[in-house]
Amino acid sequence: MTYYLPLRFFVPLIIMIFCVLVTITGYLTVRAQTEQRIVSQAKHHINMELNKLQGLVEYALENNSISLLRQIHAGKLSEPDLKALVITDTQGQITASTTPQDLGRHWGQSSLVHYRKAIQNTLEQYTSHNWTDADNRLITGMINVCTREFGLGLRGQSCGFILYQVDLKILLDEAIGDLFRQTIYITLSIAVGMLLLIATLDLLISRRLVKIHEILRQWQQGARNQRINPGGADEIAEIGNKIDQLLSRFSEDEQALIYNQQLTQAVIESANYSMITADTKGMIQTLNPMAETMLGYSARELIGRQSLCLFHDPLEIEERARYLSEQLGEVVPIGFEALAAKARHDSVDEHNWSYLRKDGSRLPVRLSVSPIRDKDGALTGFLAVAKDITEQLRTEEKLENMAYFDQLTQLPNRALYHDRLEQTLFQAKRQGCSAAVLFLDLDKFKYVNDTLGHETGDKLLIRVADLLLGCVRESDTVSRLGGDEFTIILSNLNANSQRKDIGQICDKIIDVISQPLKIDGNEIHIGVSIGIAIFPEHGNSISKLNKAADVAMYSAKAAGRGCYYFYSPGLELNPKL
């Protein structure tokens, strides 16, 4: 938990510290100025006192009145700031001093000896001068006192001096003490002012801000019905009202978002599609329940542990990578990129794949891979949506079967027969070999259909279809055109022995079909008539071969049935019973 000093205390504290610093700075500045002023006044006072004393002392010396000198000295001793007062006669003898042991001595043999240089300068000048010590606490002033010596001529005179020393400590302590007390009063006034400011801020601002903070804290913890309701008409009230508006709007948006998320989640979880998200490297991030059902894996086994490639056929991935490399004009690595390469180019990739389920079985799916981007457009992953197309493929296979196969016998119908014949002729032309078309018509089928019923007739057609398939090669095609009409395409025939080979096949067919057939307890006897057309002898196109074989078949029926007949331009009958 983070601790901090509330603004209602912090702001006044900063102001108070600032004011105190200003006060201390002012105190120090004024103190220095006061000391300078007192020292300056003291120097002026000493000069004045020295000038007064000079006249009195010179008068006493001229009259040789030691008592007057001592009276003058005694008169000054009452001054509280006087530190020292020394008067010498013109011979340098100390006649009056605040230091009794120096009386009667020559100043050079007294405690004044350390002022030697200053005394010598004073004796040579007729003006006063003064100086202070290093701490500006003592001010010493000196002035000479001279008497005329008649024995030395008109200008002859001898001099002594007056040393006047004042201790400024008392004056400075009183002035600084007054200044310090004023500073304390100012500081206390500032403190009282700050307390009043804190109280005012707390009443008008801080309490309301604390309320706003508390409401926001409760709202953050889930109390979405909390509102500030600040009251008043100042800036804080306006801020509080704006926050309330934002909270209300956010709550509404949040509810709408939650509803949409729940709706989306419900759709995803109930969707009949596998939905899997992966990061940019293919690692699975999320999947819906249908994905677990389709793949046979649990979410715990896949999320954060496996790539999308886990349930894809490696051969399909390799083939897809080669295809995309050609399509995109860049090398697509074998692996996850075979699934994501187009999506990286902002193109949804849809393709049929085989999912490899956990139990090893294969599941055909239609997979759509699309990119997932953040608000800045940066790629963050991929969404793979797969639909089980097992039923679709079955339906397509069934439709294809209905379109190209006879639904009763499951033999190729007329459309597929036409396509197979076209392919056979193309290969025969290409390889320089021959091929043959056989038209077959069952003899006595109408009688069976009329007497035993259509159900028995259908079973008979199915049996005939199986018998025909057993009489030809796997490369040949047996088809049913409709009713009791069948066709056979014989491919890759040797031109030198084709008629013999075709005849053997036709003999086998006639023999097999002529055998008694047991259907539903009934013994059925039928036969077959076969017309034969050979490529390219009887035609080089489908229509010509079909027409020739049809003519030959009817010629075989007319010849007595149960035989085969090769087409000839003159319709020359050549039955072979």
Side-chain angles (χ1 to χ4, degrees):
M1 183 176 180
T2 303
Y3 294 93
Y4 57 90
L5 185 64
L7 287 177
R8 63 182 183 276
F9 300 133
F10 181 75
V11 173
L13 179 62
I14 292 298
I15 296 175
M16 184 175 70
I17 292 174
F18 175 77
C19 292
V20 169
L21 290 176
V22 170
T23 303
I24 292 174
T25 303
Y27 164 77
L28 295 176
T29 303
V30 173
R31 173 176 173 168
Q33 294 174 348
T34 301
E35 289 180 351
Q36 292 178 359
R37 179 175 53 81
I38 291 175
V39 169
S40 177
Q41 291 176 351
K43 287 181 178 181
H44 179 70
H45 172 72
I46 286 176
N47 288 335
M48 292 181 62
E49 290 297 319
L50 287 173
N51 288 329
K52 292 179 181 178
L53 289 173
Q54 184 183 42
L56 293 173
V57 171
E58 286 180 347
Y59 175 79
L61 289 175
E62 288 179 354
N63 293 289
N64 197 22
S65 176
I66 300 302
S67 60
L68 180 58
L69 287 175
R70 291 177 178 173
Q71 289 177 1
I72 295 172
H73 183 270
K76 289 295 182 181
L77 291 179
S78 60
E79 295 180 1
D81 56 347
L82 181 65
K83 178 69 174 178
L85 178 59
V86 178
I87 302 174
T88 68
D89 59 15
T90 57
Q91 304 301 317
Q93 298 294 323
I94 297 175
T95 59
S97 174
T98 52
T99 304
Q101 59 267 28
D102 289 339
L103 289 174
R105 292 183 180 182
H106 189 273
W107 65 266
Q109 298 174 346
S110 67
S111 59
L112 298 180
V113 69
H114 59 279
Y115 294 124
R116 180 180 299 276
K117 186 174 181 180
I119 293 173
Q120 290 175 351
N121 291 335
T122 301
L123 293 175
E124 296 174 357
Q125 300 175 5
Y126 197 70
T127 58
S128 63
H129 63 279
N130 52 64
W131 65 92
T132 60
D133 62 356
D135 295 331
N136 282 334
R137 288 296 181 268
L138 290 176
I139 299 180
T140 304
M142 298 185 71
I143 193 170
N144 57 9
V145 288
C146 301
T147 59
R148 195 179 305 275
E149 294 288 340
F150 295 104
L152 298 176
L154 295 175
R155 295 191 175 185
Q157 59 182 7
S158 59
C159 297
F161 62 88
I162 301 173
L163 183 144
Y164 194 102
Q165 192 175 63
V166 176
D167 187 355
L168 297 181
K169 184 177 184 303
I170 297 175
L171 290 176
L172 289 174
D173 288 347
E174 289 180 357
I176 292 173
D178 292 340
L179 181 60
F180 181 77
R181 284 188 292 273
Q182 293 175 3
T183 302
I184 293 298
Y185 296 152
I186 293 173
T187 303
L188 291 175
S189 300
I190 292 173
V192 172
M194 290 305 103
L195 291 175
L196 292 176
L197 179 60
I198 289 174
T200 303
L201 290 176
D202 183 66
L203 179 63
L204 299 180
I205 299 176
S206 299
R207 292 184 184 180
R208 300 163 76 189
L209 292 178
V210 169
K211 181 182 179 182
I212 292 175
H213 180 270
E214 179 62 22
I215 293 298
L216 290 177
R217 186 188 65 79
Q218 295 178 11
W219 195 88
Q220 186 180 19
Q221 294 176 350
R224 294 293 190 260
N225 60 337
Q226 293 292 333
R227 294 297 180 270
I228 298 171
N229 300 320
D234 55 7
E235 295 88 343
I236 294 181
E238 184 177 357
I239 292 173
N241 290 328
K242 291 293 184 183
I243 293 176
D244 281 346
Q245 294 175 10
L246 291 174
L247 294 180
S248 299
R249 185 178 302 172
F250 188 91
S251 297
E252 295 173 0
D253 294 343
E254 184 181 47
Q255 291 300 318
L257 179 61
I258 292 174
Y259 173 77
N260 290 333
Q261 288 178 337
Q262 292 174 343
L263 181 61
T264 302
Q265 189 64 27
V267 170
I268 291 175
E269 292 183 357
S270 62
N272 195 28
Y273 300 92
S274 163
M275 296 184 180
I276 302 175
T277 60
D279 61 18
T280 55
K281 296 182 179 179
M283 190 64 65
I284 296 173
Q285 303 296 307
T286 63
L287 69 159
N288 68 343
M290 180 52 67
E292 296 181 84
T293 301
M294 289 174 62
L295 296 170
Y297 290 96
S298 67
R300 187 187 310 173
E301 294 176 287
L302 298 178
I303 294 177
R305 298 183 179 183
Q306 298 293 341
S307 167
L308 288 176
C309 295
L310 172 68
F311 37 83
H312 280 273
D313 188 335
L315 295 178
E316 290 184 356
I317 287 181
E318 182 178 352
E319 181 181 353
R320 184 64 174 171
R322 285 197 300 267
Y323 171 78
L324 291 178
S325 296
E326 296 178 2
Q327 185 185 50
L328 300 177
E330 60 184 49
V331 176
V332 176
I334 297 174
F336 173 68
E337 286 305 310
L339 302 171
K342 290 186 69 175
R344 289 188 189 276
H345 290 77
D346 288 327
S347 176
V348 177
D349 187 5
E350 290 192 30
H351 186 65
N352 287 350
W353 295 87
S354 295
Y355 269 180
L356 303 181
R357 305 180 78 247
K358 185 178 181 179
D359 60 7
S361 61
R362 301 172 72 91
L363 180 69
V365 296
R366 180 70 174 178
L367 178 64
S368 172
V369 180
S370 55
I372 301 175
R373 299 187 179 277
D374 61 17
K375 60 183 179 63
D376 299 321
L379 182 67
T380 58
F382 300 93
L383 171 64
V385 180
K387 178 184 178 182
D388 182 357
I389 59 173
T390 303
E391 291 301 322
Q392 178 182 337
L393 293 180
R394 287 175 182 170
T395 301
E396 290 177 356
E397 183 180 358
K398 185 176 181 180
L399 291 175
E400 182 179 2
N401 184 276
M402 292 175 64
Y404 293 103
F405 290 88
D406 176 55
Q407 297 304 296
L408 178 63
T409 63
Q410 296 303 310
L411 293 177
N413 60 12
R414 186 181 297 274
L416 186 54
Y417 159 75
H418 186 279
D419 182 69
R420 295 272 180 91
L421 181 55
E422 185 177 21
Q423 294 179 24
T424 300
L425 297 182
F426 175 79
Q427 291 178 358
K429 291 176 183 179
R430 187 175 181 182
Q431 298 174 4
C433 61
S434 62
V437 175
L438 281 61
F439 270 34
L440 296 81
D441 186 80
L442 300 182
D443 300 331
K444 301 179 184 180
F445 176 75
K446 184 175 183 305
Y447 173 77
V448 174
N449 221 17
D450 292 341
T451 57
L452 300 179
H454 292 288
E455 184 177 352
T456 301
D458 289 344
K459 293 180 180 179
L460 177 60
L461 292 174
I462 294 173
R463 179 73 63 83
V464 169
D466 292 338
L467 294 173
L468 292 176
L469 289 172
C471 295
V472 297
R473 301 166 298 179
E474 289 186 3
S475 60
D476 299 329
T477 298
V478 179
S479 60
R480 180 187 176 216
L481 301 184
D484 60 346
E485 294 183 357
F486 293 85
T487 63
I488 297 176
I489 302 173
L490 301 176
S491 61
N492 198 21
L493 296 175
N494 190 327
N496 296 325
S497 61
Q498 59 186 9
R499 284 182 176 264
K500 178 183 177 182
D501 296 338
I502 294 172
Q504 291 177 351
I505 293 174
C506 290
D507 286 337
K508 184 177 181 181
I509 292 173
I510 292 171
D511 181 63
V512 169
I513 298 298
S514 299
Q515 299 297 321
L517 302 174
K518 277 278 190 180
I519 297 177
D520 293 338
N522 299 310
E523 187 174 283
I524 300 174
H525 296 269
I526 60 172
V528 62
S529 298
I530 305 173
I532 305 164
I534 301 175
F535 170 84
E537 180 181 344
H538 299 145
N540 57 5
S541 66
I542 294 176
S543 60
K544 289 181 180 181
L545 290 172
N546 285 340
K547 183 177 180 180
D550 190 53
V551 169
M553 183 195 69
Y554 279 104
S555 297
K557 291 182 74 71
R561 304 181 180 181
C563 63
Y564 62 88
Y565 185 78
F566 286 94
Y567 173 79
S568 64
L571 297 179
E572 181 179 350
L573 186 61
N574 185 22
K576 197 164 187 179
L577 302 175

